[in-house]
Amino acid sequence: MNINTIQHHSYEKGLPQEGNFILGQKHGDNIFVYQAFNDKIADYAIENQKFGGQEYSFDRMTWIKPNFLWMMHRSDWANKDSNQSRILAIEMTFEGFQELLAEGILTSYNEAYGDESAWKEKLNTSNVRIQWDPDHNSKGDKLKRRAIQIGIKNEALRKFNSKFIKSIQDITAFVKEQKEKIDSGKGWYYVINESIIEVNSDLKKKFSMPEVFRTSFVEEIILEFENTKEISQTNFEKLLVDNDQPERDEFVGYVKNYINAELSRYLLKAAILYRRDEELGAFDCMCEDLLMLSYFASKNKNIIDLHLILEAKLVDFDTWCGFDGEMIFYPLGHQQTKEYIASSKDFLVENIPGFAPQTADYFIESFDEEYLYKQIHSRAFWYF
């Protein structure tokens, strides 16, 4: 399963608690959506990497959900009935995802549609329907935040099947494993790691989604950096976990949900310098801070960030021991990172030293893909 997971108790960190938001997980230029089916439909989909077969109808509306926990609520973790006993994770193009949203008609009347009779006619003739429902947490409790699901049929469904789908994987075993842990009362179970999925402004307006999810402090930080290319020491220290500032939690929401290459690199470099300089407060900059800002930089998906993250790990003896070195896999992914490390021993990238042979061998030999996705990334947010 190539989908990043997270321990359930860390899922809500950095997420909005009310309002219309699309939560999900992107994979490059694609996004994961979820559906539940019976065995025959699921088997056909896995074998052919598309939908079809005698039991599947393109004329009937089927619903896709980008929010994993909403799918778990509807299917009762694959235990509701035989028609929802198999959970499929479908990787589709994000371009296609937005196209469906643009074509979709809300299932509830909105004044933006004008006359209600005109809305009903559009709804009855549309091949795509959009529905907002109360989101639910991993225990099934209803939340103020609302989750989206997209209903598709006819030509829209055929296009989804033939053009938008990039892969289909069966995640039923993962779902049932987590359900067993929930039922047994075990504290540690996993869900899919998700953040806010940003769509274009027209779609946000159409579906009453907030333009941004940022507090005034986060806006202040961004504006300060845009104007000066620096962050004041006072504001920087508000981001450090040991200072126990409420603004840090606000910034976590930005880190989890957004990408900002220039700001993220600046902050990680600043944290590295802060950790090295005792006069600035080396012991006030904890491994947790380096890890949070390394995660922020890793979202840029660039080799430069891989080396910057390694530099953070090598700041001093304590960071070498306490910093999750597996973080270097985040920018490029498991296989590409290993290939890069193997080919980059002892040379410079952007004036950053390459990997010493012993360090390179450690990363190449110590971590397999399942460990990276299911274990390390699952625990990645403890420092948030």
Side-chain angles (χ1 to χ4, degrees):
M1 188 174 84
N2 67 334
I3 310 176
N4 294 328
T5 59
I6 189 172
Q7 289 182 354
H8 77 280
H9 55 78
S10 294
Y11 175 84
E12 289 291 342
K13 290 184 178 180
L15 293 180
Q17 295 304 297
E18 58 183 82
N20 292 352
F21 287 94
I22 300 175
L23 301 183
Q25 184 176 135
K26 293 184 70 175
H27 186 220
D29 293 328
N30 302 327
I31 183 173
F32 290 108
V33 295
Y34 305 95
Q35 290 192 278
F37 291 105
N38 61 36
D39 287 336
K40 289 183 178 180
I41 292 177
D43 287 342
Y44 182 98
I46 294 300
E47 181 178 353
N48 296 278
Q49 288 297 288
K50 63 180 181 180
F51 291 101
Q54 293 183 348
E55 293 202 15
Y56 192 85
S57 171
F58 288 94
D59 299 323
R60 183 167 55 101
M61 183 157 283
T62 185
W63 295 83
I64 59 175
K65 304 167 181 63
N67 183 326
F68 173 77
L69 287 178
W70 178 238
M71 184 74 260
M72 294 305 95
H73 169 67
R74 292 302 299 267
S75 69
D76 189 24
W77 297 79
N79 284 286
K80 190 171 185 178
D81 57 53
S82 59
N83 285 321
Q84 298 188 60
S85 62
R86 299 276 293 281
I87 309 297
L88 303 183
I90 304 155
E91 185 180 356
M92 66 173 295
T93 67
F94 186 62
E95 182 180 2
F97 181 78
Q98 290 200 113
E99 183 177 317
L100 292 177
L101 291 176
E103 185 179 343
I105 304 297
L106 282 166
T107 56
S108 298
Y109 173 67
N110 186 303
E111 291 181 355
Y113 287 108
D115 183 72
E116 188 170 355
S117 61
W119 160 75
K120 286 184 178 180
E121 183 177 354
K122 289 181 179 179
L123 183 66
N124 291 333
T125 58
S126 176
N127 289 325
V128 184
R129 293 186 177 185
I130 307 298
Q131 184 165 311
W132 291 95
D133 299 282
D135 203 353
H136 291 71
N137 63 23
S138 59
K139 296 179 180 179
D141 299 326
K142 186 184 295 187
L143 305 177
K144 291 183 179 179
R145 184 178 63 229
R146 300 184 73 79
I148 197 170
Q149 57 178 331
I150 305 173
I152 46 180
K153 65 179 181 178
N154 298 330
E155 291 306 313
L157 182 53
R158 291 183 177 88
K159 188 172 184 180
F160 167 75
N161 196 45
S162 62
K163 302 290 186 181
F164 298 159
I165 292 177
K166 294 301 178 182
S167 72
I168 303 175
Q169 55 186 309
D170 189 343
I171 62 170
T172 308
F174 167 78
V175 169
K176 288 186 174 295
E177 179 184 355
Q178 309 322 307
K179 177 61 172 173
E180 289 176 4
K181 292 179 180 179
I182 293 171
D183 291 344
S184 66
K186 293 182 179 179
W188 304 101
Y189 60 90
Y190 301 103
V191 297
I192 303 301
N193 182 32
E194 295 176 336
S195 58
I196 295 172
I197 301 298
E198 285 293 315
V199 295
N200 63 53
S201 294
D202 289 341
L203 291 176
K204 288 181 179 179
K205 183 177 180 181
K206 177 180 179 179
F207 297 119
S208 302
M209 291 185 277
E211 187 62 34
V212 293
F213 173 60
R214 300 175 191 166
T215 65
S216 58
F217 170 71
V218 172
E219 292 289 357
E220 177 186 333
I221 287 281
I222 295 171
L223 184 61
E224 179 184 16
F225 183 73
E226 288 177 349
N227 290 335
T228 67
K229 299 304 176 185
E230 294 180 347
I231 299 296
S232 68
Q233 184 174 339
T234 300
N235 277 339
F236 178 78
E237 290 185 351
K238 290 179 180 179
L239 306 180
L240 303 182
V241 65
D242 204 39
N243 290 331
D244 196 28
Q245 297 283 347
E247 289 88 348
R248 186 181 194 275
D249 289 336
E250 298 175 16
F251 196 71
V252 164
Y254 181 68
V255 168
K256 184 169 185 179
N257 294 295
Y258 297 95
I259 298 172
N260 189 324
E262 193 175 10
L263 175 60
S264 64
R265 289 169 185 160
Y266 169 85
L267 288 173
L268 182 52
K269 289 176 183 178
I272 291 170
L273 291 174
Y274 205 89
R275 175 77 187 190
R276 284 176 177 156
D277 192 331
E278 291 187 7
E279 291 185 5
L280 286 174
F283 297 103
D284 287 331
C285 185
M286 309 294 285
C287 277
E288 291 94 327
D289 302 311
L290 290 170
L291 285 164
M292 177 185 75
L293 297 176
S294 292
Y295 176 78
F296 192 19
S298 76
K299 298 174 77 173
N300 304 325
K301 305 302 179 186
N302 193 292
I303 289 173
I304 294 172
D305 303 293
L306 182 155
H307 280 271
L308 190 58
I309 290 168
L310 181 62
E311 186 180 354
K313 180 174 174 61
L314 298 176
V315 171
D316 56 38
F317 178 77
D318 288 337
T319 58
W320 170 252
C321 298
F323 183 104
D324 288 341
E326 296 82 355
M327 182 70 72
I328 69 165
F329 288 95
Y330 287 17
L332 304 182
H334 179 260
Q335 187 58 36
Q336 189 175 349
T337 300
K338 285 194 171 185
E339 292 172 357
Y340 175 72
I341 292 173
S343 65
S344 64
K345 296 180 182 180
D346 290 332
F347 76 89
L348 298 179
V349 174
E350 296 288 324
N351 295 319
I352 300 172
F355 291 83
Q358 186 176 1
T359 303
D361 292 342
Y362 166 73
F363 283 112
I364 292 171
E365 297 171 3
S366 299
F367 309 107
D368 61 31
E369 189 168 19
E370 181 179 0
Y371 177 75
L372 180 66
Y373 281 110
K374 189 176 179 181
Q375 298 296 330
I376 289 301
H377 203 100
S378 299
R379 298 200 300 269
F381 286 82
W382 70 268
Y383 49 83
F384 276 3

